[in-house]
Amino acid sequence: MFLTIAHRGDPLVHRENTLPSLRSAVDKGANTLEFDLRLTRDAHIVLLHDAGLERLWGRTADISDLTLAEVRETGGEYQVPTFDEVLDAFDDTTFLVDLKTDDVITPAVAALRRHGDAFDRSIFVAARRGGREALIKLRADAPDATIGLDWTEEQPPSEELLDALRPQYFGPRWRVADAAGVPTMRERGYRVWVGPLDDEAAVVAAMEYGVDGVVADDISSLLRLRADAGTS
């Protein structure tokens, strides 16, 4: 299956990382939802990319300093959703789970294991400083986890890192695809996605290049281009 990965849902139509955004992406045909996880002060797992609420909600407050009830004092239609709400709402969708902090990893894994086959449908990434060390610990604690190695560097990952992490997926940015050795990684059995991409020409080029998935903000465009290519 080619992964049509909706970056934070459908953020061009609805506020990113909210239930309306995620639902819109799935309703349009996305088979994979990418989202970000953090913890509130009272240890609820919520979807939020930034550490704080200022960019999208206009509140100068960090999520780690607020209880869930305090977070939900604002938001209206676009509430910050809990992870459990997302797991209840999507029972057959692949998840690309970006672990934004170390402290969210263990409770996130536990939540996924409580929700049927959700753990098996999840790919874990940690696109942040220190994220690779966190994923190595995840690999040790959950050997059955499916892990993706996010990559921005202009050289392939080292054998030492690959041996420690044992990822099933490789996720380089499109601009470093050649330097990062995408063809070689695919030959070695890694599935590869690229993105986030917001340019249609880049999406077409990536599909022609031979990747296994694309991360996109404009999920409508990605799905249309995928259909035009005549593949599924």
Side-chain angles (χ1 to χ4, degrees):
M1 179 180 71
F2 186 91
L3 299 179
T4 49
I5 306 170
H7 188 226
R8 308 178 199 171
D10 194 4
L12 301 187
V13 178
H14 298 282
R15 189 171 297 179
E16 66 182 47
N17 274 326
T18 62
L19 285 172
S21 184
L22 300 176
R23 174 56 64 194
S24 179
V26 170
D27 287 347
K28 289 178 178 179
N31 60 34
T32 306
L33 292 173
E34 188 273 347
F35 49 76
D36 310 280
L37 297 186
R38 294 183 181 273
L39 282 182
T40 63
R41 180 162 59 84
D42 52 347
H44 286 276
I45 309 171
V46 295
L47 273 64
L48 189 69
H49 177 270
D50 303 357
L53 298 172
E54 186 169 8
R55 176 170 63 91
L56 294 175
W57 281 268
R59 293 180 62 184
T60 307
D62 283 355
I63 198 77
S64 60
D65 293 331
L66 300 173
T67 66
L68 180 62
E70 289 169 337
V71 171
R72 292 193 159 174
E73 289 173 359
T74 57
E77 175 189 5
Y78 293 122
Q79 292 284 351
V80 175
T82 67
F83 193 28
D84 280 331
E85 289 171 340
V86 171
L87 294 176
D88 288 339
F90 303 97
D91 58 7
D92 61 355
T93 305
T94 299
F95 299 137
L96 182 55
V97 183
D98 193 344
L99 303 162
K100 287 301 182 186
T101 57
D102 288 357
D103 60 0
V104 81
I105 298 174
T106 297
V109 168
L112 285 162
R113 290 195 190 279
R114 288 195 303 268
H115 282 77
D117 67 344
F119 182 85
D120 298 327
R121 290 185 281 111
S122 297
I123 306 165
F124 296 95
V125 297
R128 57 183 171 89
R129 182 175 296 179
R132 292 172 192 169
E133 290 78 9
L135 290 176
I136 290 171
K137 184 177 185 304
L138 171 62
R139 171 59 73 213
D141 293 344
D144 55 338
T146 301
I147 290 176
L149 175 58
D150 187 77
W151 200 254
T152 61
E153 300 166 30
E154 294 187 356
Q155 66 277 331
S158 69
E159 292 301 318
E160 291 77 12
L161 177 60
L162 293 174
D163 288 344
L165 189 56
R166 303 195 307 281
Q168 292 93 334
Y169 288 85
F170 183 51
R173 297 298 187 269
W174 177 233
R175 63 177 176 78
V176 302
D178 279 331
V182 164
T184 299
M185 294 293 282
R186 292 195 78 220
E187 288 172 4
R188 295 178 60 180
Y190 297 98
R191 298 195 68 197
V192 176
W193 70 68
V194 294
L197 297 179
D198 56 12
D199 178 77
E200 289 195 354
V203 171
V204 171
M207 291 191 296
E208 291 176 346
Y209 186 72
V211 296
D212 303 290
V214 169
V215 185
D217 287 326
D218 190 343
I219 193 63
S220 298
S221 174
L222 172 59
L223 293 167
R224 174 175 51 79
L225 292 170
R226 190 69 186 155
D228 289 347
T231 51
S232 58

